[in-house]
């Protein structure tokens, strides 16, 4: 039950992260730059090392976790390209049938779907965070405390990113807040799961590898270009560096 109580702290930090993201106003480019930095830091300093540690087996000389990392990156790339191709065909059809007048519904629906997929993946990751807390406390109170500090600290970033990504892809505020609430509840649910059973370490490592590739694609191919397109400024770059540095400090102190 200690793990569930600690996960409640993660619940609060997630909501705080989402609240901060919601209140940014015209500094959206700084928020996006910082969010990308947080995501890069989580991938490089937390998710990938943990994935390789939990799934160290190799396939043709490459760790399984890294193969899943590449699969996650390519999966979201294929999904986005499919949306773009579909959008292009819809645009051509609109030109032929409506005298060149474009309709944005297909674009909006496709992009919203990508945003929802990304946010739901973050919710799934938060469930794993809660599970990690529960599993760590099963291993011992010291290990559990260290893992709990790391999870509670970076759940601020999870809440921040869940709200930001959902809104970035055209979803309305109500939907973003709903997903933020789901992300906040997820660690508590994950910790509660460990009271009944545990997930095999190897499968967890493969999941973390896949999710790492997913997040890296979003950070580098979507969020960073979006952050720099309206405001190609040093401040945006500094926010990205600050996000990476923040995650380095958090994870370093927690280990």
């Amino acid at each position: 039950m200690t793990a569930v109580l600690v996960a409640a702290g993660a619940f609060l930090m997630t909501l705080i992260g989402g609240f901060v993201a919601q209140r940014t106003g015209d500094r959206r480019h700084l928020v996006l730059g910082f969010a990308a930095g947080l995501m890069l830091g989580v991938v490089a300093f937390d998710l990938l090392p943990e994935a390789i540690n939990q799934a160290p087996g190799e396939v043709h000389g490459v760790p399984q976790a890294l193969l899943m990392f590449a699969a996650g990156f390519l999966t979201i790339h294929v999904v986005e390209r499919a949306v773009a191709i579909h959008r292009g065909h819809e645009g051509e059809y609109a030109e032929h049938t409506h005298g060149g007048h474009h309709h944005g519904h297909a674009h909006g629906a496709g992009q919203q779907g990508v945003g929802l997929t990304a946010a739901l993946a973050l919710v799934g990751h938060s469930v794993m965070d809660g599970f990690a807390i529960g599993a760590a406390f099963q291993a011992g109170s010291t290990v559990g405390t260290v893992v709990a500090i790391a999870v509670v600290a970076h759940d601020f970033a999870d809440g921040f990113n869940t709200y930001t990504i959902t809104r970035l892809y055209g979803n309305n505020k109500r939907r973003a807040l709903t997903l933020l609430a789901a992300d906040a509840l997820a660690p508590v649910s994950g910790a509660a799961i460990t009271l009944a059973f545990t997930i095999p370490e190897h499968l967890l490592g493969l999941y973390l590898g896949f999710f790492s590739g997913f997040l890296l694609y979003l950070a580098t191919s979507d969020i960073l270009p979006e952050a720099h397109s309206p405001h190609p400024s040093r401040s945006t770059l500094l926010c990205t560096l600050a996000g990476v540095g923040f995650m380095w400090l958090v994870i370093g102190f927690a280990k």
Side-chain angles (χ1 to χ4, degrees), residues 14-15 17-19 21-23 112 115-120 122-123 158-185:
T14 302
L15 291 180
F19 177 80
Q22 184 182 351
R23 297 289 178 178
Q112 287 174 10
L116 287 175
T117 301
L120 289 172
L122 284 168
V123 172
D158 281 351
F160 190 97
N161 289 334
T162 297
Y163 185 88
T164 300
I165 289 173
T166 308
R167 294 287 282 155
L168 173 64
Y169 285 94
N171 291 281
N172 60 38
K173 183 177 178 180
R174 182 177 179 180
R175 184 174 292 174
L177 290 174
T178 299
L179 286 165
L180 175 64
D183 192 40
L185 290 169

Side-chain angles (χ1 to χ4, degrees), residues 136-233:
F137 273 102
Q138 289 181 9
S141 58
T142 302
V143 176
T145 301
V146 170
V147 171
I149 291 171
V151 169
V152 170
H154 96 250
D155 270 346
F156 172 86
D158 281 351
F160 190 97
N161 289 334
T162 297
Y163 185 88
T164 300
I165 289 173
T166 308
R167 294 287 282 155
L168 173 64
Y169 285 94
N171 291 281
N172 60 38
K173 183 177 178 180
R174 182 177 179 180
R175 184 174 292 174
L177 290 174
T178 299
L179 286 165
L180 175 64
D183 192 40
L185 290 169
V188 181
S189 302
I193 289 173
T194 63
L195 300 178
F197 61 90
T198 58
I199 298 175
E201 184 178 273
H202 179 74
L203 292 180
L204 186 58
L206 295 179
Y207 164 79
L208 291 177
F210 185 89
F211 183 61
S212 296
F214 191 95
L215 277 189
L216 184 66
Y217 182 90
L218 291 180
T220 56
S221 298
D222 286 351
I223 295 181
L224 278 178
E226 180 72 17
H228 285 282
S229 60
H231 297 277
S233 63

